[in-house]
Amino acid sequence: AQSVSQHNHHVILSEAASLELGCNYSYGGTVNLFWYVQYPGQHLQLLLKYFSGDPLVKGIKGFEAEFIKSKFSFNLRKPSVQWSDTAEYFCAVNEGKSNFNKFYFGSGTKLNVKP
Amino acid sequence: ETGVTQSPTHLIKTRGQQVTLRCSSQSGHNTVSWYQQALGQGPQFIFQYYREEENGRGNFPPRFSGLQFPNYSSELNVNALELDDSALYLCASSQPTGSLGEQYFGPGTRLTVT
């Protein structure tokens, strides 16, 4: 079975600081990769996704993530965070080329941006 | 376009009881997945329904069961509740595009078992 590891459980940054959240997965086959965000009091929503092609993907609100196949990683980045980025971030993986859309989630990283 | 809705928002049950949680999928989506999110954890896959049939299951015991109806809404039933079943239960719907399908999540049902 797949597993997804998020190394940072809680990150505290000041506004304008740069962000990088780590995500590693265990599956050796073709995967699709996702980052979801959960703002306080809101649903999980998709931030960005990678299926194939350019390993650097851009998402909403200035976020981007880079897929490094050799490292089984899909780290999330943002050059300059804002107070409104305070949220919990989840990395998720599913098996590519499958009819079965089962997601494996990491345990999440809580980001607290100080104004 | 109506998003994914879940009911109830929260409920409290006693150990040994049974509970039914409900989910209405987003318009146009015929695939529904259920997840359990314990405190401090990421969502854990329970099972998925496609066209009213179970289309895969995670590592949960048979006392977790589900249904999908012709309008694609879904129920999650949990029998013989245990204290460890206390969690946020999330429903997610998606279009029938296999693994490429983005999942749209509902707000969840917070279940507390005492």
Side-chain angles (χ1 to χ4, degrees), chain A residues 32 36 43 46 51 90 94-95 97-98 100-101 103 106, chain B residues 35 37 42-43 48 55 98-103 105:
Chain A
N32 300 317
Y36 277 83
H43 310 183
L46 184 68
F51 291 153
F90 292 92
N94 70 9
E95 295 173 16
K97 301 179 182 178
S98 168
F100 177 41
N101 197 3
F103 278 54
Chain B
Y35 292 81
Q37 186 177 12
Q48 181 179 90
N55 186 35
S99 63
L100 299 182
E102 175 184 342
Q103 296 202 348
F105 285 83

mmCIF file with all atom_site columns, all heavy atoms in Angstrom, chain A residues 32 36 43 46 51 90 94-95 97-98 100-101 103 106, chain B residues 35 37 42-43 48 55 98-103 105:
data_model
loop_
_atom_site.group_PDB
_atom_site.id
_atom_site.type_symbol
_atom_site.label_atom_id
_atom_site.label_alt_id
_atom_site.label_comp_id
_atom_site.label_asym_id
_atom_site.label_entity_id
_atom_site.label_seq_id
_atom_site.pdbx_PDB_ins_code
_atom_site.Cartn_x
_atom_site.Cartn_y
_atom_site.Cartn_z
_atom_site.occupancy
_atom_site.B_iso_or_equiv
_atom_site.pdbx_formal_charge
_atom_site.auth_seq_id
_atom_site.auth_comp_id
_atom_site.auth_asym_id
_atom_site.auth_atom_id
_atom_site.pdbx_PDB_model_num
ATOM 1   N N   . ASN A 1 32  ? -0.408  10.030 -9.582  1.00 0.00 ? 32  ASN A N   1
ATOM 2   C CA  . ASN A 1 32  ? -0.902  11.398 -9.715  1.00 0.00 ? 32  ASN A CA  1
ATOM 3   C C   . ASN A 1 32  ? -0.757  12.048 -8.347  1.00 0.00 ? 32  ASN A C   1
ATOM 4   O O   . ASN A 1 32  ? -0.961  11.396 -7.320  1.00 0.00 ? 32  ASN A O   1
ATOM 5   C CB  . ASN A 1 32  ? -2.367  11.411 -10.144 1.00 0.00 ? 32  ASN A CB  1
ATOM 6   C CG  . ASN A 1 32  ? -2.572  10.719 -11.478 1.00 0.00 ? 32  ASN A CG  1
ATOM 7   O OD1 . ASN A 1 32  ? -1.801  10.905 -12.407 1.00 0.00 ? 32  ASN A OD1 1
ATOM 8   N ND2 . ASN A 1 32  ? -3.611  9.895  -11.565 1.00 0.00 ? 32  ASN A ND2 1
ATOM 9   N N   . TYR A 1 36  ? -3.923  19.586 -1.351  1.00 0.00 ? 36  TYR A N   1
ATOM 10  C CA  . TYR A 1 36  ? -5.194  20.160 -0.937  1.00 0.00 ? 36  TYR A CA  1
ATOM 11  C C   . TYR A 1 36  ? -4.939  21.115 0.225   1.00 0.00 ? 36  TYR A C   1
ATOM 12  O O   . TYR A 1 36  ? -4.004  20.927 1.011   1.00 0.00 ? 36  TYR A O   1
ATOM 13  C CB  . TYR A 1 36  ? -6.161  19.056 -0.481  1.00 0.00 ? 36  TYR A CB  1
ATOM 14  C CG  . TYR A 1 36  ? -6.911  18.386 -1.604  1.00 0.00 ? 36  TYR A CG  1
ATOM 15  C CD1 . TYR A 1 36  ? -6.337  17.355 -2.335  1.00 0.00 ? 36  TYR A CD1 1
ATOM 16  C CD2 . TYR A 1 36  ? -8.209  18.773 -1.925  1.00 0.00 ? 36  TYR A CD2 1
ATOM 17  C CE1 . TYR A 1 36  ? -7.030  16.741 -3.365  1.00 0.00 ? 36  TYR A CE1 1
ATOM 18  C CE2 . TYR A 1 36  ? -8.915  18.159 -2.949  1.00 0.00 ? 36  TYR A CE2 1
ATOM 19  C CZ  . TYR A 1 36  ? -8.322  17.154 -3.663  1.00 0.00 ? 36  TYR A CZ  1
ATOM 20  O OH  . TYR A 1 36  ? -9.019  16.545 -4.678  1.00 0.00 ? 36  TYR A OH  1
ATOM 21  N N   . HIS A 1 43  ? -14.036 23.675 3.653   1.00 0.00 ? 43  HIS A N   1
ATOM 22  C CA  . HIS A 1 43  ? -13.814 22.342 3.129   1.00 0.00 ? 43  HIS A CA  1
ATOM 23  C C   . HIS A 1 43  ? -12.380 22.196 2.630   1.00 0.00 ? 43  HIS A C   1
ATOM 24  O O   . HIS A 1 43  ? -11.708 23.177 2.334   1.00 0.00 ? 43  HIS A O   1
ATOM 25  C CB  . HIS A 1 43  ? -14.708 22.069 1.908   1.00 0.00 ? 43  HIS A CB  1
ATOM 26  C CG  . HIS A 1 43  ? -16.141 22.381 2.086   1.00 0.00 ? 43  HIS A CG  1
ATOM 27  N ND1 . HIS A 1 43  ? -17.073 22.127 1.110   1.00 0.00 ? 43  HIS A ND1 1
ATOM 28  C CD2 . HIS A 1 43  ? -16.834 22.915 3.103   1.00 0.00 ? 43  HIS A CD2 1
ATOM 29  C CE1 . HIS A 1 43  ? -18.263 22.492 1.522   1.00 0.00 ? 43  HIS A CE1 1
ATOM 30  N NE2 . HIS A 1 43  ? -18.156 22.993 2.727   1.00 0.00 ? 43  HIS A NE2 1
ATOM 31  N N   . LEU A 1 46  ? -8.840  21.812 -3.669  1.00 0.00 ? 46  LEU A N   1
ATOM 32  C CA  . LEU A 1 46  ? -7.637  21.514 -4.432  1.00 0.00 ? 46  LEU A CA  1
ATOM 33  C C   . LEU A 1 46  ? -6.806  22.766 -4.648  1.00 0.00 ? 46  LEU A C   1
ATOM 34  O O   . LEU A 1 46  ? -7.311  23.809 -5.045  1.00 0.00 ? 46  LEU A O   1
ATOM 35  C CB  . LEU A 1 46  ? -8.033  20.922 -5.795  1.00 0.00 ? 46  LEU A CB  1
ATOM 36  C CG  . LEU A 1 46  ? -6.880  20.477 -6.671  1.00 0.00 ? 46  LEU A CG  1
ATOM 37  C CD1 . LEU A 1 46  ? -6.186  19.261 -6.051  1.00 0.00 ? 46  LEU A CD1 1
ATOM 38  C CD2 . LEU A 1 46  ? -7.389  20.132 -8.078  1.00 0.00 ? 46  LEU A CD2 1
ATOM 39  N N   . PHE A 1 51  ? -0.285  15.397 -13.120 1.00 0.00 ? 51  PHE A N   1
ATOM 40  C CA  . PHE A 1 51  ? -0.593  14.115 -13.750 1.00 0.00 ? 51  PHE A CA  1
ATOM 41  C C   . PHE A 1 51  ? 0.580   13.659 -14.616 1.00 0.00 ? 51  PHE A C   1
ATOM 42  O O   . PHE A 1 51  ? 0.974   12.494 -14.580 1.00 0.00 ? 51  PHE A O   1
ATOM 43  C CB  . PHE A 1 51  ? -1.848  14.225 -14.618 1.00 0.00 ? 51  PHE A CB  1
ATOM 44  C CG  . PHE A 1 51  ? -3.117  14.426 -13.826 1.00 0.00 ? 51  PHE A CG  1
ATOM 45  C CD1 . PHE A 1 51  ? -4.203  15.073 -14.389 1.00 0.00 ? 51  PHE A CD1 1
ATOM 46  C CD2 . PHE A 1 51  ? -3.235  13.968 -12.522 1.00 0.00 ? 51  PHE A CD2 1
ATOM 47  C CE1 . PHE A 1 51  ? -5.369  15.267 -13.656 1.00 0.00 ? 51  PHE A CE1 1
ATOM 48  C CE2 . PHE A 1 51  ? -4.396  14.156 -11.791 1.00 0.00 ? 51  PHE A CE2 1
ATOM 49  C CZ  . PHE A 1 51  ? -5.466  14.807 -12.362 1.00 0.00 ? 51  PHE A CZ  1
ATOM 50  N N   . PHE A 1 90  ? -2.524  19.481 2.847   1.00 0.00 ? 90  PHE A N   1
ATOM 51  C CA  . PHE A 1 90  ? -2.436  18.028 2.745   1.00 0.00 ? 90  PHE A CA  1
ATOM 52  C C   . PHE A 1 90  ? -1.898  17.635 1.369   1.00 0.00 ? 90  PHE A C   1
ATOM 53  O O   . PHE A 1 90  ? -2.413  18.091 0.340   1.00 0.00 ? 90  PHE A O   1
ATOM 54  C CB  . PHE A 1 90  ? -3.811  17.375 2.920   1.00 0.00 ? 90  PHE A CB  1
ATOM 55  C CG  . PHE A 1 90  ? -4.384  17.509 4.306   1.00 0.00 ? 90  PHE A CG  1
ATOM 56  C CD1 . PHE A 1 90  ? -5.209  18.582 4.619   1.00 0.00 ? 90  PHE A CD1 1
ATOM 57  C CD2 . PHE A 1 90  ? -4.106  16.571 5.276   1.00 0.00 ? 90  PHE A CD2 1
ATOM 58  C CE1 . PHE A 1 90  ? -5.750  18.708 5.890   1.00 0.00 ? 90  PHE A CE1 1
ATOM 59  C CE2 . PHE A 1 90  ? -4.636  16.695 6.555   1.00 0.00 ? 90  PHE A CE2 1
ATOM 60  C CZ  . PHE A 1 90  ? -5.464  17.771 6.866   1.00 0.00 ? 90  PHE A CZ  1
ATOM 61  N N   . ASN A 1 94  ? -2.616  9.400  -5.783  1.00 0.00 ? 94  ASN A N   1
ATOM 62  C CA  . ASN A 1 94  ? -3.361  8.207  -6.191  1.00 0.00 ? 94  ASN A CA  1
ATOM 63  C C   . ASN A 1 94  ? -2.592  7.517  -7.302  1.00 0.00 ? 94  ASN A C   1
ATOM 64  O O   . ASN A 1 94  ? -1.658  8.079  -7.881  1.00 0.00 ? 94  ASN A O   1
ATOM 65  C CB  . ASN A 1 94  ? -4.816  8.513  -6.557  1.00 0.00 ? 94  ASN A CB  1
ATOM 66  C CG  . ASN A 1 94  ? -4.981  9.290  -7.848  1.00 0.00 ? 94  ASN A CG  1
ATOM 67  O OD1 . ASN A 1 94  ? -4.035  9.485  -8.595  1.00 0.00 ? 94  ASN A OD1 1
ATOM 68  N ND2 . ASN A 1 94  ? -6.194  9.722  -8.111  1.00 0.00 ? 94  ASN A ND2 1
ATOM 69  N N   . GLU A 1 95  ? -2.956  6.271  -7.529  1.00 0.00 ? 95  GLU A N   1
ATOM 70  C CA  . GLU A 1 95  ? -2.224  5.468  -8.504  1.00 0.00 ? 95  GLU A CA  1
ATOM 71  C C   . GLU A 1 95  ? -2.663  5.867  -9.902  1.00 0.00 ? 95  GLU A C   1
ATOM 72  O O   . GLU A 1 95  ? -3.850  5.841  -10.214 1.00 0.00 ? 95  GLU A O   1
ATOM 73  C CB  . GLU A 1 95  ? -2.469  3.984  -8.247  1.00 0.00 ? 95  GLU A CB  1
ATOM 74  C CG  . GLU A 1 95  ? -1.915  3.531  -6.908  1.00 0.00 ? 95  GLU A CG  1
ATOM 75  C CD  . GLU A 1 95  ? -2.299  2.111  -6.561  1.00 0.00 ? 95  GLU A CD  1
ATOM 76  O OE1 . GLU A 1 95  ? -2.741  1.376  -7.470  1.00 0.00 ? 95  GLU A OE1 1
ATOM 77  O OE2 . GLU A 1 95  ? -2.163  1.734  -5.389  1.00 0.00 ? 95  GLU A OE2 1
ATOM 78  N N   . LYS A 1 97  ? -3.219  5.939  -13.969 1.00 0.00 ? 97  LYS A N   1
ATOM 79  C CA  . LYS A 1 97  ? -3.734  4.991  -14.964 1.00 0.00 ? 97  LYS A CA  1
ATOM 80  C C   . LYS A 1 97  ? -4.618  3.928  -14.323 1.00 0.00 ? 97  LYS A C   1
ATOM 81  O O   . LYS A 1 97  ? -4.579  2.756  -14.654 1.00 0.00 ? 97  LYS A O   1
ATOM 82  C CB  . LYS A 1 97  ? -2.598  4.308  -15.728 1.00 0.00 ? 97  LYS A CB  1
ATOM 83  C CG  . LYS A 1 97  ? -1.695  5.286  -16.455 1.00 0.00 ? 97  LYS A CG  1
ATOM 84  C CD  . LYS A 1 97  ? -0.564  4.590  -17.170 1.00 0.00 ? 97  LYS A CD  1
ATOM 85  C CE  . LYS A 1 97  ? 0.338   5.607  -17.837 1.00 0.00 ? 97  LYS A CE  1
ATOM 86  N NZ  . LYS A 1 97  ? 1.483   4.981  -18.505 1.00 0.00 ? 97  LYS A NZ  1
ATOM 87  N N   . SER A 1 98  ? -5.383  4.347  -13.374 1.00 0.00 ? 98  SER A N   1
ATOM 88  C CA  . SER A 1 98  ? -6.259  3.420  -12.680 1.00 0.00 ? 98  SER A CA  1
ATOM 89  C C   . SER A 1 98  ? -7.693  3.894  -12.804 1.00 0.00 ? 98  SER A C   1
ATOM 90  O O   . SER A 1 98  ? -7.968  5.082  -12.868 1.00 0.00 ? 98  SER A O   1
ATOM 91  C CB  . SER A 1 98  ? -5.871  3.340  -11.202 1.00 0.00 ? 98  SER A CB  1
ATOM 92  O OG  . SER A 1 98  ? -6.859  2.667  -10.463 1.00 0.00 ? 98  SER A OG  1
ATOM 93  N N   . PHE A 1 100 ? -9.645  3.385  -10.501 1.00 0.00 ? 100 PHE A N   1
ATOM 94  C CA  . PHE A 1 100 ? -10.049 3.438  -9.117  1.00 0.00 ? 100 PHE A CA  1
ATOM 95  C C   . PHE A 1 100 ? -9.436  4.665  -8.470  1.00 0.00 ? 100 PHE A C   1
ATOM 96  O O   . PHE A 1 100 ? -8.226  4.753  -8.304  1.00 0.00 ? 100 PHE A O   1
ATOM 97  C CB  . PHE A 1 100 ? -9.573  2.164  -8.432  1.00 0.00 ? 100 PHE A CB  1
ATOM 98  C CG  . PHE A 1 100 ? -9.865  2.110  -6.972  1.00 0.00 ? 100 PHE A CG  1
ATOM 99  C CD1 . PHE A 1 100 ? -11.069 2.560  -6.471  1.00 0.00 ? 100 PHE A CD1 1
ATOM 100 C CD2 . PHE A 1 100 ? -8.931  1.605  -6.098  1.00 0.00 ? 100 PHE A CD2 1
ATOM 101 C CE1 . PHE A 1 100 ? -11.339 2.515  -5.122  1.00 0.00 ? 100 PHE A CE1 1
ATOM 102 C CE2 . PHE A 1 100 ? -9.182  1.554  -4.746  1.00 0.00 ? 100 PHE A CE2 1
ATOM 103 C CZ  . PHE A 1 100 ? -10.389 2.005  -4.258  1.00 0.00 ? 100 PHE A CZ  1
ATOM 104 N N   . ASN A 1 101 ? -10.281 5.609  -8.133  1.00 0.00 ? 101 ASN A N   1
ATOM 105 C CA  . ASN A 1 101 ? -9.802  6.908  -7.692  1.00 0.00 ? 101 ASN A CA  1
ATOM 106 C C   . ASN A 1 101 ? -9.668  6.965  -6.175  1.00 0.00 ? 101 ASN A C   1
ATOM 107 O O   . ASN A 1 101 ? -10.418 7.652  -5.507  1.00 0.00 ? 101 ASN A O   1
ATOM 108 C CB  . ASN A 1 101 ? -10.770 7.989  -8.196  1.00 0.00 ? 101 ASN A CB  1
ATOM 109 C CG  . ASN A 1 101 ? -10.152 9.358  -8.141  1.00 0.00 ? 101 ASN A CG  1
ATOM 110 O OD1 . ASN A 1 101 ? -8.995  9.507  -7.775  1.00 0.00 ? 101 ASN A OD1 1
ATOM 111 N ND2 . ASN A 1 101 ? -10.911 10.368 -8.486  1.00 0.00 ? 101 ASN A ND2 1
ATOM 112 N N   . PHE A 1 103 ? -7.540  8.036  -2.976  1.00 0.00 ? 103 PHE A N   1
ATOM 113 C CA  . PHE A 1 103 ? -6.496  8.962  -2.570  1.00 0.00 ? 103 PHE A CA  1
ATOM 114 C C   . PHE A 1 103 ? -5.839  8.491  -1.275  1.00 0.00 ? 103 PHE A C   1
ATOM 115 O O   . PHE A 1 103 ? -6.510  8.035  -0.359  1.00 0.00 ? 103 PHE A O   1
ATOM 116 C CB  . PHE A 1 103 ? -7.098  10.351 -2.325  1.00 0.00 ? 103 PHE A CB  1
ATOM 117 C CG  . PHE A 1 103 ? -7.287  11.169 -3.563  1.00 0.00 ? 103 PHE A CG  1
ATOM 118 C CD1 . PHE A 1 103 ? -7.996  10.679 -4.639  1.00 0.00 ? 103 PHE A CD1 1
ATOM 119 C CD2 . PHE A 1 103 ? -6.765  12.446 -3.650  1.00 0.00 ? 103 PHE A CD2 1
ATOM 120 C CE1 . PHE A 1 103 ? -8.179  11.436 -5.791  1.00 0.00 ? 103 PHE A CE1 1
ATOM 121 C CE2 . PHE A 1 103 ? -6.940  13.218 -4.784  1.00 0.00 ? 103 PHE A CE2 1
ATOM 122 C CZ  . PHE A 1 103 ? -7.652  12.713 -5.850  1.00 0.00 ? 103 PHE A CZ  1
ATOM 123 N N   . GLY A 1 106 ? -1.384  12.518 3.219   1.00 0.00 ? 106 GLY A N   1
ATOM 124 C CA  . GLY A 1 106 ? -0.447  12.694 4.316   1.00 0.00 ? 106 GLY A CA  1
ATOM 125 C C   . GLY A 1 106 ? -1.185  13.196 5.540   1.00 0.00 ? 106 GLY A C   1
ATOM 126 O O   . GLY A 1 106 ? -2.390  13.467 5.497   1.00 0.00 ? 106 GLY A O   1
ATOM 127 N N   . TYR B 2 35  ? -14.191 9.167  3.519   1.00 0.00 ? 35  TYR B N   1
ATOM 128 C CA  . TYR B 2 35  ? -12.923 9.188  4.239   1.00 0.00 ? 35  TYR B CA  1
ATOM 129 C C   . TYR B 2 35  ? -13.189 9.419  5.724   1.00 0.00 ? 35  TYR B C   1
ATOM 130 O O   . TYR B 2 35  ? -14.135 10.122 6.104   1.00 0.00 ? 35  TYR B O   1
ATOM 131 C CB  . TYR B 2 35  ? -12.017 10.323 3.739   1.00 0.00 ? 35  TYR B CB  1
ATOM 132 C CG  . TYR B 2 35  ? -11.512 10.152 2.338   1.00 0.00 ? 35  TYR B CG  1
ATOM 133 C CD1 . TYR B 2 35  ? -12.300 10.486 1.228   1.00 0.00 ? 35  TYR B CD1 1
ATOM 134 C CD2 . TYR B 2 35  ? -10.239 9.638  2.091   1.00 0.00 ? 35  TYR B CD2 1
ATOM 135 C CE1 . TYR B 2 35  ? -11.828 10.326 -0.063  1.00 0.00 ? 35  TYR B CE1 1
ATOM 136 C CE2 . TYR B 2 35  ? -9.767  9.474  0.809   1.00 0.00 ? 35  TYR B CE2 1
ATOM 137 C CZ  . TYR B 2 35  ? -10.568 9.822  -0.263  1.00 0.00 ? 35  TYR B CZ  1
ATOM 138 O OH  . TYR B 2 35  ? -10.098 9.659  -1.544  1.00 0.00 ? 35  TYR B OH  1
ATOM 139 N N   . GLN B 2 37  ? -11.306 11.077 9.011   1.00 0.00 ? 37  GLN B N   1
ATOM 140 C CA  . GLN B 2 37  ? -10.186 11.918 9.406   1.00 0.00 ? 37  GLN B CA  1
ATOM 141 C C   . GLN B 2 37  ? -10.174 12.038 10.924  1.00 0.00 ? 37  GLN B C   1
ATOM 142 O O   . GLN B 2 37  ? -10.956 12.790 11.515  1.00 0.00 ? 37  GLN B O   1
ATOM 143 C CB  . GLN B 2 37  ? -10.273 13.302 8.762   1.00 0.00 ? 37  GLN B CB  1
ATOM 144 C CG  . GLN B 2 37  ? -9.034  14.150 9.033   1.00 0.00 ? 37  GLN B CG  1
ATOM 145 C CD  . GLN B 2 37  ? -9.089  15.501 8.341   1.00 0.00 ? 37  GLN B CD  1
ATOM 146 O OE1 . GLN B 2 37  ? -10.114 15.921 7.827   1.00 0.00 ? 37  GLN B OE1 1
ATOM 147 N NE2 . GLN B 2 37  ? -7.960  16.193 8.310   1.00 0.00 ? 37  GLN B NE2 1
ATOM 148 N N   . GLY B 2 42  ? -4.440  12.898 8.494   1.00 0.00 ? 42  GLY B N   1
ATOM 149 C CA  . GLY B 2 42  ? -5.026  13.149 7.190   1.00 0.00 ? 42  GLY B CA  1
ATOM 150 C C   . GLY B 2 42  ? -6.198  12.207 6.958   1.00 0.00 ? 42  GLY B C   1
ATOM 151 O O   . GLY B 2 42  ? -6.370  11.219 7.668   1.00 0.00 ? 42  GLY B O   1
ATOM 152 N N   . PRO B 2 43  ? -7.015  12.503 5.966   1.00 0.00 ? 43  PRO B N   1
ATOM 153 C CA  . PRO B 2 43  ? -8.150  11.620 5.663   1.00 0.00 ? 43  PRO B CA  1
ATOM 154 C C   . PRO B 2 43  ? -7.684  10.223 5.270   1.00 0.00 ? 43  PRO B C   1
ATOM 155 O O   . PRO B 2 43  ? -6.703  10.073 4.537   1.00 0.00 ? 43  PRO B O   1
ATOM 156 C CB  . PRO B 2 43  ? -8.821  12.324 4.472   1.00 0.00 ? 43  PRO B CB  1
ATOM 157 C CG  . PRO B 2 43  ? -8.400  13.754 4.575   1.00 0.00 ? 43  PRO B CG  1
ATOM 158 C CD  . PRO B 2 43  ? -7.009  13.708 5.115   1.00 0.00 ? 43  PRO B CD  1
ATOM 159 N N   . GLN B 2 48  ? -15.331 3.578  -1.881  1.00 0.00 ? 48  GLN B N   1
ATOM 160 C CA  . GLN B 2 48  ? -15.813 4.408  -2.982  1.00 0.00 ? 48  GLN B CA  1
ATOM 161 C C   . GLN B 2 48  ? -16.997 3.717  -3.643  1.00 0.00 ? 48  GLN B C   1
ATOM 162 O O   . GLN B 2 48  ? -17.014 2.484  -3.768  1.00 0.00 ? 48  GLN B O   1
ATOM 163 C CB  . GLN B 2 48  ? -14.698 4.619  -4.013  1.00 0.00 ? 48  GLN B CB  1
ATOM 164 C CG  . GLN B 2 48  ? -15.075 5.499  -5.190  1.00 0.00 ? 48  GLN B CG  1
ATOM 165 C CD  . GLN B 2 48  ? -13.905 5.671  -6.137  1.00 0.00 ? 48  GLN B CD  1
ATOM 166 O OE1 . GLN B 2 48  ? -13.696 4.914  -7.074  1.00 0.00 ? 48  GLN B OE1 1
ATOM 167 N NE2 . GLN B 2 48  ? -13.100 6.693  -5.882  1.00 0.00 ? 48  GLN B NE2 1
ATOM 168 N N   . ASN B 2 55  ? -16.750 0.308  -5.284  1.00 0.00 ? 55  ASN B N   1
ATOM 169 C CA  . ASN B 2 55  ? -15.715 0.290  -6.315  1.00 0.00 ? 55  ASN B CA  1
ATOM 170 C C   . ASN B 2 55  ? -14.321 0.263  -5.690  1.00 0.00 ? 55  ASN B C   1
ATOM 171 O O   . ASN B 2 55  ? -13.371 0.717  -6.285  1.00 0.00 ? 55  ASN B O   1
ATOM 172 C CB  . ASN B 2 55  ? -15.870 1.548  -7.183  1.00 0.00 ? 55  ASN B CB  1
ATOM 173 C CG  . ASN B 2 55  ? -14.941 1.549  -8.364  1.00 0.00 ? 55  ASN B CG  1
ATOM 174 O OD1 . ASN B 2 55  ? -14.655 0.499  -8.935  1.00 0.00 ? 55  ASN B OD1 1
ATOM 175 N ND2 . ASN B 2 55  ? -14.425 2.713  -8.732  1.00 0.00 ? 55  ASN B ND2 1
ATOM 176 N N   . GLY B 2 98  ? -11.781 8.067  -13.598 1.00 0.00 ? 98  GLY B N   1
ATOM 177 C CA  . GLY B 2 98  ? -10.749 7.250  -12.975 1.00 0.00 ? 98  GLY B CA  1
ATOM 178 C C   . GLY B 2 98  ? -9.825  8.069  -12.113 1.00 0.00 ? 98  GLY B C   1
ATOM 179 O O   . GLY B 2 98  ? -10.239 8.980  -11.408 1.00 0.00 ? 98  GLY B O   1
ATOM 180 N N   . SER B 2 99  ? -8.562  7.778  -12.202 1.00 0.00 ? 99  SER B N   1
ATOM 181 C CA  . SER B 2 99  ? -7.599  8.383  -11.288 1.00 0.00 ? 99  SER B CA  1
ATOM 182 C C   . SER B 2 99  ? -7.320  9.844  -11.621 1.00 0.00 ? 99  SER B C   1
ATOM 183 O O   . SER B 2 99  ? -6.675  10.537 -10.849 1.00 0.00 ? 99  SER B O   1
ATOM 184 C CB  . SER B 2 99  ? -6.298  7.596  -11.313 1.00 0.00 ? 99  SER B CB  1
ATOM 185 O OG  . SER B 2 99  ? -5.729  7.654  -12.608 1.00 0.00 ? 99  SER B OG  1
ATOM 186 N N   . LEU B 2 100 ? -7.797  10.316 -12.758 1.00 0.00 ? 100 LEU B N   1
ATOM 187 C CA  . LEU B 2 100 ? -7.561  11.715 -13.103 1.00 0.00 ? 100 LEU B CA  1
ATOM 188 C C   . LEU B 2 100 ? -8.607  12.638 -12.511 1.00 0.00 ? 100 LEU B C   1
ATOM 189 O O   . LEU B 2 100 ? -8.525  13.847 -12.655 1.00 0.00 ? 100 LEU B O   1
ATOM 190 C CB  . LEU B 2 100 ? -7.551  11.889 -14.627 1.00 0.00 ? 100 LEU B CB  1
ATOM 191 C CG  . LEU B 2 100 ? -6.478  11.107 -15.371 1.00 0.00 ? 100 LEU B CG  1
ATOM 192 C CD1 . LEU B 2 100 ? -6.547  11.404 -16.854 1.00 0.00 ? 100 LEU B CD1 1
ATOM 193 C CD2 . LEU B 2 100 ? -5.089  11.451 -14.841 1.00 0.00 ? 100 LEU B CD2 1
ATOM 194 N N   . GLY B 2 101 ? -9.590  12.051 -11.864 1.00 0.00 ? 101 GLY B N   1
ATOM 195 C CA  . GLY B 2 101 ? -10.695 12.840 -11.363 1.00 0.00 ? 101 GLY B CA  1
ATOM 196 C C   . GLY B 2 101 ? -10.385 13.595 -10.098 1.00 0.00 ? 101 GLY B C   1
ATOM 197 O O   . GLY B 2 101 ? -10.019 13.004 -9.091  1.00 0.00 ? 101 GLY B O   1
ATOM 198 N N   . GLU B 2 102 ? -10.503 14.913 -10.175 1.00 0.00 ? 102 GLU B N   1
ATOM 199 C CA  . GLU B 2 102 ? -10.357 15.709 -8.961  1.00 0.00 ? 102 GLU B CA  1
ATOM 200 C C   . GLU B 2 102 ? -11.517 15.396 -8.042  1.00 0.00 ? 102 GLU B C   1
ATOM 201 O O   . GLU B 2 102 ? -12.658 15.267 -8.473  1.00 0.00 ? 102 GLU B O   1
ATOM 202 C CB  . GLU B 2 102 ? -10.378 17.202 -9.318  1.00 0.00 ? 102 GLU B CB  1
ATOM 203 C CG  . GLU B 2 102 ? -10.352 18.122 -8.112  1.00 0.00 ? 102 GLU B CG  1
ATOM 204 C CD  . GLU B 2 102 ? -10.476 19.581 -8.503  1.00 0.00 ? 102 GLU B CD  1
ATOM 205 O OE1 . GLU B 2 102 ? -10.238 19.906 -9.678  1.00 0.00 ? 102 GLU B OE1 1
ATOM 206 O OE2 . GLU B 2 102 ? -10.837 20.382 -7.621  1.00 0.00 ? 102 GLU B OE2 1
ATOM 207 N N   . GLN B 2 103 ? -11.236 15.251 -6.755  1.00 0.00 ? 103 GLN B N   1
ATOM 208 C CA  . GLN B 2 103 ? -12.276 14.984 -5.782  1.00 0.00 ? 103 GLN B CA  1
ATOM 209 C C   . GLN B 2 103 ? -12.696 16.280 -5.113  1.00 0.00 ? 103 GLN B C   1
ATOM 210 O O   . GLN B 2 103 ? -11.861 17.072 -4.694  1.00 0.00 ? 103 GLN B O   1
ATOM 211 C CB  . GLN B 2 103 ? -11.792 13.971 -4.749  1.00 0.00 ? 103 GLN B CB  1
ATOM 212 C CG  . GLN B 2 103 ? -11.490 12.620 -5.376  1.00 0.00 ? 103 GLN B CG  1
ATOM 213 C CD  . GLN B 2 103 ? -11.531 11.479 -4.386  1.00 0.00 ? 103 GLN B CD  1
ATOM 214 O OE1 . GLN B 2 103 ? -11.565 11.665 -3.195  1.00 0.00 ? 103 GLN B OE1 1
ATOM 215 N NE2 . GLN B 2 103 ? -11.526 10.261 -4.933  1.00 0.00 ? 103 GLN B NE2 1
ATOM 216 N N   . PHE B 2 105 ? -14.669 17.847 -1.982  1.00 0.00 ? 105 PHE B N   1
ATOM 217 C CA  . PHE B 2 105 ? -15.010 17.419 -0.636  1.00 0.00 ? 105 PHE B CA  1
ATOM 218 C C   . PHE B 2 105 ? -16.158 18.216 -0.037  1.00 0.00 ? 105 PHE B C   1
ATOM 219 O O   . PHE B 2 105 ? -16.311 19.421 -0.285  1.00 0.00 ? 105 PHE B O   1
ATOM 220 C CB  . PHE B 2 105 ? -13.784 17.543 0.279   1.00 0.00 ? 105 PHE B CB  1
ATOM 221 C CG  . PHE B 2 105 ? -12.768 16.472 0.056   1.00 0.00 ? 105 PHE B CG  1
ATOM 222 C CD1 . PHE B 2 105 ? -11.830 16.581 -0.961  1.00 0.00 ? 105 PHE B CD1 1
ATOM 223 C CD2 . PHE B 2 105 ? -12.764 15.330 0.844   1.00 0.00 ? 105 PHE B CD2 1
ATOM 224 C CE1 . PHE B 2 105 ? -10.894 15.578 -1.180  1.00 0.00 ? 105 PHE B CE1 1
ATOM 225 C CE2 . PHE B 2 105 ? -11.837 14.325 0.634   1.00 0.00 ? 105 PHE B CE2 1
ATOM 226 C CZ  . PHE B 2 105 ? -10.910 14.445 -0.379  1.00 0.00 ? 105 PHE B CZ  1
#
